[in-house]
Amino acid sequence: MRNFWKLRQPDVRRIVLVESGPRHLLEGAIPVLRRLYGESIPIDLVTCFAGSPVGFTAGNGRVYQVADHQGRAGRKRLYRELCALAPDALVMVCADVPIMTKWKWALAWNLPAKVLILNENGDFFWFDRAHWRVILHFIAFRSGLTGGGMVRTIADFALFPFTLTYLLLYAGWIHARRKVRLAMRSGAMGLDKT
């Protein structure tokens, strides 16, 4: 994330691949990365899945299981290990599935590598200011602010304060009515005793 303001694409000599999406996306992306940056480029994999994706050979890279790096100390150890490798690119899958969401953004924040986003269509783009329009569209699409869902999302957002106010007033009315009934009932019982 530190390289967001830099427009220069890095000379990629080592890649950290974050498997934060469906495995078939990485299986399609690994050959493309190898074609772009060379067959012998070391690729390290950070994953929560068992095993490795098809096409990934750990001969010149390593597989890091997030289950082995739980807790603050484990995460810091993973960041240190990956920083020591000096990766030039961090490729992370940003598909519309919540797999390793916190991990991928924490890695993007902590590693001194330029982030390359891979979406569910297999498209790549660098996470930098040159691609701010693509990033903005990507966020809008994920938020439901594009296409036919845009009107409904904006209407839901605009109506939320009114809906919340109505529900709070209704709940207050019901509880107040209940209190009044209980007070009247206990008052009526007190009159019968005298």
Side-chain angles (χ1 to χ4, degrees):
M1 298 280 277
R2 298 176 195 143
N3 295 318
F4 179 80
W5 299 107
K6 295 180 182 176
L7 295 178
R8 185 184 64 79
Q9 289 187 11
D11 180 27
V12 180
R13 294 179 306 275
R14 186 172 204 108
I15 296 173
V16 172
L17 191 58
V18 182
E19 191 172 13
S20 54
R23 180 154 275 183
H24 68 87
L25 289 175
L26 282 186
E27 290 173 348
I30 291 172
V32 174
L33 291 171
R34 295 239 183 251
R35 245 188 339 268
L36 287 172
Y37 300 113
E39 288 293 325
S40 62
I41 189 166
I43 298 177
D44 300 292
L45 178 70
V46 179
T47 185
C48 63
F49 297 117
S52 301
V54 174
F56 178 80
T57 55
N60 55 1
R62 186 171 163 208
V63 177
Y64 296 90
Q65 289 286 337
V66 293
D68 299 336
H69 297 87
Q70 294 298 319
R72 177 176 281 173
R75 287 190 304 270
K76 284 185 176 183
R77 188 182 65 216
L78 176 64
Y79 302 150
R80 275 194 312 272
E81 288 178 25
L82 291 173
C83 283
L85 299 172
D88 301 301
L90 173 74
V91 179
M92 64 181 184
V93 179
C94 287
D96 201 12
V97 290
I99 299 173
M100 288 180 45
T101 304
K102 292 178 183 175
W103 276 100
K104 70 181 168 189
W105 291 111
L107 287 167
W109 184 260
N110 287 293
L111 294 183
K114 190 148 186 170
V115 177
L116 186 67
I117 304 286
L118 167 66
N119 69 10
E120 62 269 7
N121 299 326
D123 299 326
F124 291 92
F125 62 91
W126 289 104
F127 190 78
D128 61 12
R129 69 182 168 107
H131 297 97
W132 70 271
R133 291 181 187 190
V134 176
I135 295 166
L136 194 61
H137 179 73
F138 191 72
I139 292 169
F141 185 77
R142 288 284 190 259
S143 303
L145 295 175
T146 59
M150 178 177 64
V151 174
R152 179 179 168 91
T153 303
I154 291 172
D156 287 347
F157 186 72
L159 291 175
F160 176 75
F162 300 108
T163 305
L164 182 63
T165 303
Y166 170 76
L167 291 173
L168 290 173
L169 288 173
Y170 181 74
W173 168 255
I174 294 298
H175 286 293
R177 197 172 75 175
R178 182 173 167 249
K179 292 263 186 199
V180 168
R181 283 187 181 168
L182 285 173
M184 289 176 61
R185 196 177 303 154
S186 65
M189 289 182 183
L191 291 176
D192 292 339
K193 290 181 182 178
T194 57

